[in-house]
């Protein structure tokens, strides 16, 4: 018996609703290995587990008092009726500030004051949009050239404005390639023209020209996003790389603001959380080394401590394995697991686990089971040296002096909104996420206007749909 919709029509099942069940049935008959499903001999994990009694904890007077969490979201939507290949993309990153002192004070109250909690939270958002596939910034150019022009224009125009911070994404890109005290004046760019072998050409803010083939160069070419852009497809991967880069630049801007103007008080009392690992993937992975050098330089010039940084992985093979360990009571509340090359070998089955993450991560993975039972996979950068290299990197917790303060914040900010969730990450996610249904419709309408296709010309009307619960 079908349910009745608000309009009175019966609600029927989708014609493709059986697809997932069919795929799962096929997978059940197949034979393959999933490490998280095979927790057998765990004796080898014992020496790698650091129990709560061996973990240093910050003194009450030196606990961190605030958190800034950063998260992003992206979406590419079809915008032309009858032409599903035409897609317009949106990417945005949000930062959410949480006052931990207020949160702790409300936890001690018999009744929570919603006004006080609302005042303890502040959010900011930066968003970008561009044609991603089947549409171009102008006539007569390739989709790769369209992306290059669009990204350069967006980075010059989009600004991050938070309190006393007012810088464009381009400003922050040059700062990332410099030091906290002095932004770079140029960035190294490879010529994007196929067949041209010019590499590491120095390009300033206004761009330049390749000396060999005379191709126009943009400073944002250093991101190499165009390397993943294809003529066929939605280019969702390239849009994801763009979002990830914007998240990193937001982190650069906010942390540098505190380093520059509040080095003695706010910087050593604030934890910055990036939703996702401290890593860069794809053609933009070269920014990994720049991020590590930048924050290590900031650490060495912050006499009162900081910056405190971590990334939180909510999904992936390591997160699945961590939850399996918790289900089998391998990890008790308060335990920290050192993720060395042996653990990496078991979870990822990598050919060379000692070199894992050397080209992508600028923070080291740890698995922590909080005091309330949540399981968190976090990445923390070391104050010196590389977290991963060809020789195994630095897996020991002692190489990460900010780790005790980070774990303390994880214990204090548990959230029941998501599995193994953290309140700051949930706040940033809520600010950055596109709502299901109506969000897609609104983005499609905006994209049509930007492409010169007003909704009235197509007869389409945007009808709000209820959000998923």
């Amino acid at each position: 018996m079908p349910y009745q919709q608000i309009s009175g029509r019966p609600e029927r099942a989708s014609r493709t609703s059986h697809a997932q069940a069919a795929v799962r049935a096929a997978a059940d008959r197949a034979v393959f290995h999933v490490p998280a499903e095979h927790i057998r001999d765990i004796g080898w994990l014992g020496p790698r587990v650091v129990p709560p009694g061996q973990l240093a904890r910050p003194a009450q007077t030196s606990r961190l008092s605030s958190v800034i969490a950063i998260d992003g979201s992206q979406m590419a939507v079809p915008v032309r009726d009858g032409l599903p290949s035409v897609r317009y993309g949106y990417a945005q990153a949000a930062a959410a500030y949480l006052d931990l002192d207020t949160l702790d004070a409300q936890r001690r109250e018999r009744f929570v004051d919603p006004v006080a909690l609302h005042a303890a939270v502040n959010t900011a958002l930066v968003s970008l949009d561009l044609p991603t596939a089947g549409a171009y910034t102008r006539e007569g150019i390739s989709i790769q050239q369209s992306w290059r022009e669009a990204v350069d224009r967006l980075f010059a125009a989009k600004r991050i404005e938070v309190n006393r911070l007012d810088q464009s994404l381009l400003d922050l890109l040059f700062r990332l390639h410099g030091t906290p005290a002095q932004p770079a004046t140029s960035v190294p760019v490879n010529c994007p023209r196929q067949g041209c072998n010019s590499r590491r050409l120095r390009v300033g803010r206004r761009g330049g020209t390749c000396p060999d083939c005379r191709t126009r160069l943009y400073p944002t070419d250093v991101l190499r996003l165009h390397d993943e852009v294809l003529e066929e497809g939605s280019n969702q991967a390239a849009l994801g790389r763009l979002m990830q880069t914007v998240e990193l630049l937001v982190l650069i801007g906010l942390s540098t603001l505190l380093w520059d103007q509040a080095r003695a008080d706010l910087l050593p009392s604030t934890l910055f959380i990036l939703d996702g690992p401290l890593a860069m993937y794809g053609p933009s992975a070269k920014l990994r080394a720049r991020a590590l050098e930048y924050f290590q330089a900031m650490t060495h010039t912050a006499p009162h401590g900081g910056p405190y940084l971590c990334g939180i992985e909510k999904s992936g093979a390591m997160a699945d394995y961590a939850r399996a360990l918790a289900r089998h009571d391998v990890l008790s509340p308060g335990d920290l697991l050192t993720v060395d090359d042996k653990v990496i070998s078991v979870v990822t089955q990598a050919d060379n686990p000692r070199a894992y993450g050397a080209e992508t991560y600028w923070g080291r993975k740890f698995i922590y089971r909080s005091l309330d039972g949540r399981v968190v996979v976090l990445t923390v950068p070391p104050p010196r040296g590389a977290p991963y290299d060809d020789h195994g990197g630095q897996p020991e917790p002692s190489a990460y002096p900010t780790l005790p303060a980070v774990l303390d914040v994880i214990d204090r900010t548990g959230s029941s909104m998501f599995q193994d969730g953290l309140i700051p990450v949930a706040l940033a996610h809520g600010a950055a996420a596109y709502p299901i249904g109506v969000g897609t419709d609104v983005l499609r309408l905006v994209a049509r206007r930007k492409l010169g296709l007003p909704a009235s010309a197509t007869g389409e009307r945007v009808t709000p749909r209820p959000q998923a619960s």
Side-chain angles (χ1 to χ4, degrees):
M1 177 65 68
Y3 290 101
Q4 192 175 44
Q5 296 179 342
I6 298 176
S7 62
R9 294 192 301 268
E11 182 177 354
R12 304 189 185 280
S14 169
R15 290 175 295 175
T16 59
S17 59
H18 65 284
Q20 184 174 0
V23 173
R24 289 177 64 91
D28 290 340
R29 293 194 301 269
V31 178
F32 51 88
H33 176 71
V34 179
E37 293 180 341
H38 297 273
I39 308 295
R40 298 192 185 100
D41 178 20
I42 56 175
W44 62 276
L45 278 172
R48 295 169 173 81
V49 177
V50 184
Q54 297 180 19
L55 285 173
R57 289 289 175 174
Q60 186 68 28
T61 56
S62 59
R63 301 173 84 186
L64 301 184
S65 59
S66 58
V67 181
I68 296 176
I70 299 167
D71 189 18
S73 61
Q74 45 91 13
M75 179 183 297
V77 298
V79 294
R80 193 70 179 264
D81 292 339
L83 297 174
S85 64
V86 179
R87 289 180 174 266
Y88 202 86
Y90 296 83
Q92 59 188 23
Y97 169 85
L98 175 64
D99 186 336
L100 290 179
D101 289 341
T102 300
L103 187 67
D104 291 339
Q106 287 299 307
R107 186 177 287 113
R108 295 188 294 267
E109 297 291 336
R110 182 179 179 184
F111 298 106
V112 174
D113 183 353
V115 176
L117 287 180
H118 182 270
V121 177
N122 192 16
T123 60
L125 180 72
V126 58
S127 60
L128 305 87
D129 61 272
L130 74 163
T132 57
Y136 307 84
T137 55
R138 57 188 176 90
E139 186 178 357
I141 60 174
S142 67
I143 189 65
Q144 292 84 6
Q145 178 66 16
S146 177
W147 267 75
R148 292 179 61 228
E149 293 181 2
V151 172
D152 178 71
R153 184 163 57 248
L154 287 169
F155 270 53
K158 294 294 182 175
R159 309 187 69 83
I160 299 177
E161 299 174 314
V162 180
N163 294 333
R164 288 170 288 181
L165 174 65
D166 182 9
Q167 291 190 310
S168 68
L169 293 177
L170 190 62
D171 293 333
L172 296 175
L173 182 64
F174 276 87
R175 186 170 288 279
L176 173 60
H177 284 82
T179 67
Q182 184 63 48
T185 58
S186 62
V187 293
V189 168
N190 296 340
C191 181
R193 183 170 182 175
Q194 188 174 6
C196 183
N197 296 321
S198 296
R199 296 291 182 267
R200 300 190 65 80
L201 303 171
R202 304 305 301 190
V203 175
R205 293 174 179 271
R206 296 185 177 181
T209 304
C210 176
D212 293 331
C213 65
R214 311 309 298 172
T215 296
R216 172 69 176 170
L217 303 177
Y218 304 103
T220 49
D221 288 339
V222 70
L223 304 176
R224 296 177 59 188
L225 296 174
H226 53 274
D227 286 353
E228 284 193 315
V229 176
L230 304 174
E231 292 290 348
E232 303 293 336
S234 65
N235 290 317
Q236 195 82 35
L239 188 61
R241 307 286 188 237
L242 175 61
M243 180 201 72
Q244 186 184 44
T245 302
V246 174
E247 289 178 340
L248 176 60
L249 295 180
V250 170
L251 176 62
I252 291 290
L254 295 177
S255 59
T256 305
L257 174 67
L258 297 192
W259 177 87
D260 185 48
Q261 302 188 10
R263 204 176 309 177
D265 45 16
L266 289 181
L267 183 67
S269 64
T270 301
L271 172 63
F272 292 89
I273 299 179
L274 197 62
D275 186 17
L278 300 184
M280 297 296 293
Y281 302 102
S284 301
K286 295 297 182 183
L287 293 182
R288 168 204 60 84
R290 290 301 322 144
L292 182 60
E293 292 177 13
Y294 188 90
F295 286 112
Q296 287 181 342
M298 188 179 291
T299 298
H300 298 155
T301 52
H304 301 283
Y308 292 87
L309 305 166
C310 81
I312 300 295
E313 296 184 49
K314 301 192 296 293
S315 60
M318 193 66 69
D320 290 343
Y321 191 77
R323 295 183 183 113
L325 293 179
R327 286 195 301 270
H328 288 80
D329 294 324
V330 178
L331 295 179
S332 301
D335 283 349
L336 178 74
L337 178 63
T338 299
V339 182
D340 59 9
D341 57 311
K342 174 61 175 177
V343 178
I344 293 170
S345 176
V346 170
V347 176
T348 68
Q349 300 191 166
D351 294 333
N352 184 9
R354 293 183 64 83
Y356 171 88
E359 298 297 327
T360 51
Y361 279 79
W362 54 280
R364 185 83 194 195
K365 287 179 187 281
F366 292 92
I367 295 175
Y368 179 61
R369 190 169 190 188
S370 65
L371 297 178
D372 60 4
R374 287 171 296 117
V375 181
V376 179
V377 178
L378 64 151
T379 48
V380 182
R384 59 187 60 84
Y388 296 96
D389 57 32
D390 294 337
H391 307 287
Q394 304 182 73
E396 295 301 323
S398 57
Y400 303 84
T402 62
L403 188 56
V406 173
L407 299 182
D408 178 65
V409 171
I410 291 175
D411 283 329
R412 296 159 62 192
T413 58
S415 170
S416 59
M417 293 181 63
F418 304 99
Q419 181 183 13
D420 302 318
L422 275 71
I423 292 175
V425 175
L427 292 171
H429 177 77
Y434 295 107
I436 297 175
V438 65
T440 305
D441 289 337
V442 171
L443 293 182
R444 184 180 293 112
L445 178 62
V446 173
R448 290 189 172 207
R449 294 189 181 280
K450 285 181 172 289
L451 291 175
L453 303 170
S456 59
T458 61
E460 178 176 309
R461 299 178 64 183
V462 176
T463 303
R465 295 193 294 243
Q467 295 188 25
S469 58

